[in-house]
Amino acid sequence: MAKKKRGGKPQQASRQAPPLRRPETREIAVAQVTDKYSEYPSNGLTPVRLAEIFKEADAGDVLRQMELYEELEEKDPHLFSQMQTRKNAVTGLDFEIIPFDSDDERDKEIAEFIEGQINSIESFEDVQNDLLDAIGKGFAVSEIIWGYDEGYVVVKEIKSRHQKRFFWDSVDDSFKVRTAEAPQGIELPTNKFILHRYKARSGHPSRAGVLRVVAWMYLFKNYDLKDWVSFAEIYGLPLRLGKYQPGASEEDKRALMAALVQIGADAAGIIPDGTTIEFITTEKNSSTNLYEQLARYCDEQISKAVLGQTLTSDSGGGSYAQSKTHNDVRHDLTVADCKALAATLRRDLIRPLCIFNFGEDRRIPYLRFDCEEGEDLVQTANIVGTLIEKTGLSVPTSYLYKKFSIPKPEAGEEIAKPPSMTGTGSPLLPFTATAQSAPIALKAGGAAGHGTQARADYLAQAAARRSASAFKKAFAPVLKLLERANSLEELRELMEDDDRVAALYDEMDVTGLEELLQKVLTYAQLEGRAVEDGRD
């Protein structure tokens, strides 16, 4: 698989026809100073205010909603972490450009040019990260700054544009951007912007972001944290109750109140004569962890909304098997994010490059992220070896080269070979060697003049390879018991049952091991007798 390259000038392909269209090289949505300022709508946020912000977004004006979304990630560390995890799962992957038709030379030429262009974009991971902001906010927009290089239309830069600059027209629901020349907004020019949309659910794009769901949990958690901090400030302190005499002046009352506050902070104070202060203690409430429980509940709901699970975040708990299952769900989201981002880049970046440089708007190359989970190559090698050995299956070497990411050697290129057998060393067995082939191997080894120890080592290695499947079959009941246990404590309880252990021992099938051991001992005995008879 071709991996992303860094830097360098784009590889240029020869054109057979002049480009049919010219790009817009002017910068349309120029960044403004006001883009970095916000009204901070989360200050004093209430359910009523949150509903009002969402209603404005439903009408097409998403400015306050986008400002709120920005604050959510800034103020909630757990939400920030979950969003970063979701984005980094995509930006950390390699990708490749695939020709529309891998057998067509023209398509290969176009794909090579596109790959060079994308690799020449500085910090392409940042471009991906900006576009993946659509996961939380529903959409993300970046502007392409086109340029020319030796007669080719190239990408000079890709600049992210803040979501609050965009809106949906209330008349025809068209998507527009506010610019310095057109504060009332203009529709996005063709082949100028990369518009990535994420649909967490069906409906209007302004309501599709994950943060739309998360905002309510943030609100409830915010209330909880405020009360928790206030509680922590006075927790364990007695209630201070001041009493003043009837007819006390306002000055005396203020002095008493100041003394109460001062005692709470400094444990010292003064009061006028005739006034008293009482300290009222209360028993500790057994539900003092209610604040933490509510905060943890909100974090878990946020994790579910963003990652689709909770057990790979710090707020969850469970067995390794459960965590792995939940992580698979998260991988499904990563695959979906990769496909959505690849489709957007193909439509809004790769397609314009093909149009401007080749006049081609249909045979567009594909962009594919390497988002498949890594597999156990050792297990794969064992499976392939078993299929070849047991069934005689014909496996093309091209498949093996691709499966194990091994480059095919070029003509005349030096290749690695197994070392030859020596009189004192241990031979390197081919993966098809088994106990059944050991007698032939020993005979061939003896004919070649190798020592007894070398042949014994050969037999031991062959037996060790063959024993893997036999051991796996024998311990299958034990593995099933381990899968049933969700923790070490539960496994310990299961193993304390003598009847269960006895039944487990009876279920173990060791016939394969016994047969293999019997064959190895027989071969070893024959070898020993041959040595005694002087036929070594």
Side-chain angles (χ1 to χ4, degrees), residues 280-295:
I280 303 176
T281 60
T282 58
E283 295 183 359
K284 294 182 179 179
N285 193 336
S286 59
S287 60
T288 53
N289 62 345
L290 178 62
Y291 298 104
E292 181 180 2
Q293 291 177 355
L294 179 56

Side-chain angles (χ1 to χ4, degrees), residues 304-534:
K304 290 178 183 178
V306 178
L307 299 182
Q309 47 82 21
T310 61
L311 290 183
T312 57
S313 64
D314 61 355
S315 62
S319 67
Y320 170 77
Q322 290 173 322
S323 298
K324 190 177 186 306
T325 302
H326 280 220
N327 196 56
D328 291 339
V329 177
R330 172 180 156 186
H331 177 69
D332 292 342
L333 292 177
T334 301
V335 173
D337 292 341
C338 289
K339 290 182 178 180
L341 182 60
T344 295
L345 291 172
R346 182 174 186 260
R347 181 195 66 219
D348 294 340
L349 178 61
I350 297 178
R351 183 175 178 274
L353 278 170
C354 292
I355 292 175
F356 296 146
N357 291 284
F358 300 95
E360 181 62 70
D361 62 349
R362 280 184 285 183
R363 303 180 66 84
I364 312 299
Y366 297 94
L367 186 149
R368 185 179 69 182
F369 288 93
D370 184 15
C371 56
E372 297 299 327
E373 285 191 301
E375 58 182 318
D376 188 347
L377 295 182
V378 175
Q379 182 180 8
T380 303
N382 291 334
I383 294 175
V384 173
T386 302
L387 290 174
I388 296 175
E389 175 189 352
K390 299 297 184 182
T391 67
L393 180 68
S394 299
V395 180
T397 56
S398 59
Y399 167 79
L400 298 178
Y401 282 124
K402 182 177 180 180
K403 191 69 175 178
F404 296 95
S405 300
I406 301 174
K408 189 174 182 179
E410 303 291 341
E413 186 176 8
E414 184 179 0
I415 60 175
K417 295 182 179 180
S420 59
M421 295 176 59
T422 62
T424 57
S426 297
L428 180 66
L429 293 180
F431 69 93
T432 54
T434 61
Q436 287 86 339
S437 62
I440 300 177
L442 287 173
K443 181 178 180 180
H450 296 292
T452 304
Q453 183 60 46
R455 294 194 293 274
D457 291 341
Y458 193 102
L459 176 61
Q461 292 181 15
R465 279 188 170 83
R466 183 62 182 272
S467 65
S469 58
F471 271 108
K472 185 176 181 181
K473 182 178 180 181
F475 283 90
V478 179
L479 295 176
K480 289 182 180 180
L481 181 63
L482 290 175
E483 292 177 356
R484 289 172 52 191
N486 294 323
S487 63
L488 291 176
E489 291 74 13
E490 185 175 345
L491 178 62
R492 188 180 296 111
E493 293 177 0
L494 293 175
M495 297 302 295
E496 289 176 354
D497 188 346
D498 295 337
D499 294 336
R500 185 185 300 274
V501 174
L504 186 67
Y505 180 79
D506 294 337
E507 293 175 6
M508 297 177 65
D509 185 2
V510 296
T511 55
L513 286 174
E514 293 175 349
E515 181 181 354
L516 177 61
L517 183 59
Q518 182 180 7
K519 289 181 179 180
V520 172
L521 292 175
T522 301
Y523 300 149
Q525 186 179 22
L526 292 175
E527 176 67 14
R529 289 182 179 180
V531 173
E532 291 178 358
D533 293 341

Side-chain angles (χ1 to χ4, degrees), residues 52-259:
E52 290 176 352
I53 293 174
F54 285 164
K55 288 180 180 178
E56 288 180 6
D58 295 344
D61 185 4
V62 296
L63 189 148
R64 284 213 297 168
Q65 177 175 271
M66 294 306 163
E67 290 182 339
L68 175 64
Y69 287 168
E70 195 170 25
E71 286 190 86
L72 299 189
E73 293 187 68
E74 291 178 355
K75 293 185 175 182
D76 192 323
H78 181 77
L79 173 59
F80 172 79
S81 171
Q82 301 300 279
M83 292 301 300
Q84 286 298 106
T85 300
R86 179 80 176 265
K87 294 178 183 179
N88 291 341
V90 178
T91 58
L93 297 175
D94 293 321
F95 63 86
E96 62 178 338
I97 304 298
I98 303 175
F100 184 83
D101 184 352
S102 58
D103 297 328
D104 188 280
E105 292 299 325
R106 174 69 169 173
D107 290 342
K108 292 181 180 179
E109 184 182 17
I110 295 175
E112 183 180 2
F113 175 80
I114 297 300
E115 182 178 10
Q117 279 295 297
I118 293 180
N119 290 337
S120 69
I121 298 175
E122 186 176 355
S123 299
F124 190 64
E125 286 87 354
D126 293 342
V127 175
Q128 299 176 59
N129 189 72
D130 292 335
L131 294 174
L132 289 171
D133 207 32
I135 295 174
K137 301 176 182 178
F139 70 93
V141 185
S142 293
E143 183 174 356
I144 305 174
I145 309 301
W146 297 107
Y148 293 92
D149 183 14
E150 299 180 3
Y152 291 91
V153 176
V154 297
V155 179
K156 293 176 59 179
E157 192 176 1
I158 298 179
K159 297 184 178 181
S160 177
R161 301 307 184 195
H162 201 290
Q163 285 91 341
K164 64 183 180 181
R165 298 275 300 278
F166 300 86
F167 67 98
W168 279 270
D169 193 297
S170 58
V171 178
D172 57 0
D173 201 37
S174 58
F175 191 62
K176 296 183 177 182
V177 56
R178 296 184 180 92
T179 65
E181 296 79 10
Q184 74 281 3
I186 60 171
E187 293 190 27
L188 275 60
T190 306
N191 301 327
K192 182 60 177 173
F193 290 88
I194 303 177
L195 173 58
H196 184 49
R197 292 176 176 172
Y198 177 80
K199 298 192 68 174
R201 60 186 183 84
S202 301
H204 197 272
S206 64
R207 308 179 64 174
V210 172
L211 292 179
R212 178 95 176 200
V213 180
V214 170
W216 291 104
M217 287 296 106
Y218 168 84
L219 176 62
F220 301 147
K221 182 181 174 182
N222 194 40
Y223 277 125
D224 176 69
L225 291 178
K226 287 180 179 179
D227 294 338
W228 195 1
V229 171
S230 299
F231 173 78
E233 185 178 5
I234 63 173
Y235 180 73
L237 296 178
L239 175 63
R240 304 175 300 280
L241 179 62
K243 297 181 179 181
Y244 56 86
Q245 298 293 334
S249 64
E250 290 297 326
E251 184 178 355
D252 292 339
K253 295 177 182 179
R254 285 193 297 269
L256 178 60
M257 189 63 193

